[in-house]
Amino acid sequence: MNKNPYKTLDTNPTGLVETWNAVTPNDSTDNVGAGNVAIGLYVTVGGAVSFNDVNGTTITVSVPSNFYINCSVSRVLSTGTTATGIFALISA
């Protein structure tokens, strides 16, 4: 499924999560699913998470284990990311 829920909407979507995609952090390739922009991330093992939002802005946050990050995400970066077990939340 290829979609970017932010592309055609004037406001952020509030729909349900359709699927979770396991993410391998990468500095040069969008990695939340082919053609997708995630509506958030789920982190199983805490640490720093560095990611690009839908506008290309880089954001880095430190989170505990089993934590949800609610923000548009197009890429989880390897540089600056120490958390593991990261999943992209893809909107229905």
Side-chain angles (χ1 to χ4, degrees), residues 7-74:
K7 196 172 211 171
T8 58
L9 299 176
D10 292 331
T11 60
N12 286 344
T14 58
L16 299 173
V17 172
E18 181 176 42
T19 191
W20 293 25
N21 290 338
V23 174
T24 300
N26 188 305
D27 287 340
S28 59
T29 304
D30 291 346
N31 53 5
V32 297
N36 289 321
V37 171
I39 61 171
L41 299 173
Y42 178 73
V43 180
T44 60
V45 179
V49 180
S50 186
F51 62 92
N52 291 344
D53 70 8
V54 71
N55 297 314
T57 303
T58 299
I59 300 167
T60 303
V61 295
S62 292
V63 300
S65 295
N66 303 310
F67 190 82
Y68 288 94
I69 299 171
N70 297 310
C71 183
S72 65
V73 179
S74 62

Side-chain angles (χ1 to χ4, degrees), residues 71-91:
C71 183
S72 65
V73 179
S74 62
R75 179 182 302 165
V76 177
L77 302 168
S78 57
T79 301
T81 296
T82 59
T84 59
I86 302 171
F87 294 86
L89 308 176
I90 305 301
S91 178

